[in-house]
Amino acid sequence: MSDFDRILERSAQLLDGPATDARISTLLRSLPHIDPAQLTPWVRQQTQSASSDAVTPDELRLITSLIDLTSLSANDTPESVAALVRRAVSPEADLVRPALLPATAAVCVHADLVGAARVALDDAADAPVALAAVAGGFPHGRSPFAAKAAEVEYAVAAGADEIDIVIDRGALLSERYARVYDWVLAARRLVERGDGTRAHLKVILETGELPSYDSVFHAAIIALLAGADFVKTSTGKGQAGATPEAAAVLLQASAHWREETGETVGVKVSGGVRAVEQARAYLRLARVICGDSFVTPASLRFGASALLDDVLRTLEPLR
């Protein structure tokens, strides 16, 4: 049985049949309610604890290894993307002193620049950096299905290792849950390559534009039902980026999924993550909710551009 067939089988088992609005709604109603009055003070307590100890070089190395170094500007060029790749591969290349930081987990670029990023990564020779691309109507996710699908196919064919798509939030909020599920499922099939390999699929929920923590949790579970490898907070282009509370909800969705299925799925915190202290708070939440083993590039990422700058600033006096 293929991985994709296993996704369909697992989904049918959890939903007691094919994915429909009614079946998905029944599953969502069975999930725990997330009370903001309890979540907010608990998250505040955890994040305050994260900053109680002095930062260490090892912690800065860990944070660097979890970064998807991102550039999603309208004026990105093949040359700027190549420079981004070089920085991801060697974050301290411009420094005279010996390097202390590892490569970042990935670079993340627009779909049309995947080819340029692939060339730059291949030139770096065995660079341990994945190539991620936003695709499928980023950042709104509201393009016609054929256009979204074509963009995902293009990015995979051009050499992307990971694809970040966006859910249809309008469908989610109007309880057309099967429409959300169907798009993620389609994207999961589209990331498969002819040679039997596939790109990993990250699903952006744009948590800052969802009306409640329950809706964030529900969106994450729908994405996981449809085969997402990661659930991700934000595009960085919406009204609000990541928050510790939203990240905690996604981490709880990952923990719930592992309890239900035995599978570990990742969480990507993206949108406004600029400072080491923010990253330390998210690390604390991940460890408390999902365990120490969760804090690896395979299951936790920071989508960021400025975060690496702050890592370097924080590291300098610790050398």
Side-chain angles (χ1 to χ4, degrees):
M1 181 183 294
S2 70
D3 286 345
F4 189 80
D5 288 336
R6 276 191 284 272
I7 290 169
L8 293 175
E9 181 180 68
R10 182 188 61 215
S11 175
Q13 290 173 346
L14 293 172
L15 293 173
D16 196 25
T20 63
D21 290 342
R23 287 195 178 97
I24 295 173
S25 180
T26 297
L27 176 65
L28 299 182
R29 286 197 300 272
S30 74
L31 297 174
H33 168 62
I34 299 175
D35 183 358
Q38 295 180 356
L39 178 68
T40 300
W42 182 84
V43 167
R44 185 182 302 115
Q45 179 186 37
Q46 297 302 321
T47 54
Q48 288 172 347
S49 297
S51 60
S52 60
D53 297 326
V55 67
T56 66
D58 282 345
E59 195 169 19
L60 296 174
R61 282 190 282 267
L62 174 60
I63 291 169
T64 302
S65 74
L66 302 177
I67 294 175
D68 283 6
L69 192 62
T70 302
S71 186
L72 299 173
S73 172
N75 59 2
D76 287 340
T77 65
E79 293 76 19
S80 68
V81 163
L84 183 79
V85 167
R86 290 192 295 271
R87 190 166 192 238
V89 172
S90 301
E92 299 170 273
D94 294 336
L95 300 179
V96 176
R97 298 177 184 179
L100 296 178
L101 298 178
T104 66
V107 292
C108 185
V109 300
H110 284 295
D112 64 311
L113 289 168
V114 168
R118 184 77 271 163
V119 169
L121 278 168
D122 290 346
D123 287 346
D126 298 324
V129 176
L131 173 51
V134 294
F138 180 91
H140 48 74
R142 298 301 297 270
S143 300
F145 177 86
K148 294 195 294 185
E151 191 174 31
V152 171
E153 287 182 304
Y154 174 88
V156 173
D161 302 303
E162 302 171 356
I163 298 294
D164 293 29
I165 65 165
V166 191
I167 64 165
D168 182 341
R169 296 185 296 283
L172 178 76
L173 296 176
S174 60
E175 299 184 2
R176 291 175 291 156
Y177 300 130
R179 184 179 178 89
V180 179
Y181 171 94
D182 288 345
W183 164 233
V184 177
L185 185 69
R188 175 58 182 77
R189 183 185 286 277
L190 289 167
V191 299
E192 295 182 348
R193 304 185 184 96
D195 62 2
T197 64
R198 69 176 180 90
H200 283 81
L201 183 66
K202 304 197 203 85
V203 178
I204 308 169
L205 310 179
E206 202 67 277
T207 55
E209 296 183 4
L210 298 181
S212 68
Y213 295 131
D214 281 343
S215 62
V216 172
F217 193 69
H218 293 172
I221 294 300
I222 295 171
L224 298 178
L225 276 171
D229 296 297
F230 274 74
V231 285
K232 175 178 171 182
T233 54
S234 314
T235 61
K237 308 294 184 182
Q239 297 175 6
T243 64
E245 290 81 5
V249 174
L250 296 193
L251 289 162
Q252 185 57 50
S254 177
H256 175 85
W257 190 255
R258 184 168 57 189
E259 291 173 3
E260 291 292 316
T261 69
E263 298 178 359
T264 297
V265 292
V267 172
K268 180 173 174 178
V269 183
S270 184
V273 185
R274 299 183 178 90
V276 166
E277 286 307 306
Q278 290 175 286
R280 297 181 79 198
Y282 291 122
L283 289 175
R284 167 75 176 180
L285 291 171
R287 288 187 172 111
V288 171
I289 297 171
C290 295
D292 289 342
S293 63
F294 191 83
V295 183
T296 73
S299 47
L300 182 65
R301 302 281 185 87
F302 298 121
S305 54
L307 177 58
L308 185 56
D309 295 328
D310 198 47
V311 168
L312 289 165
R313 282 192 294 268
T314 306
L315 178 63
E316 187 58 29
L318 301 178
R319 288 179 179 275

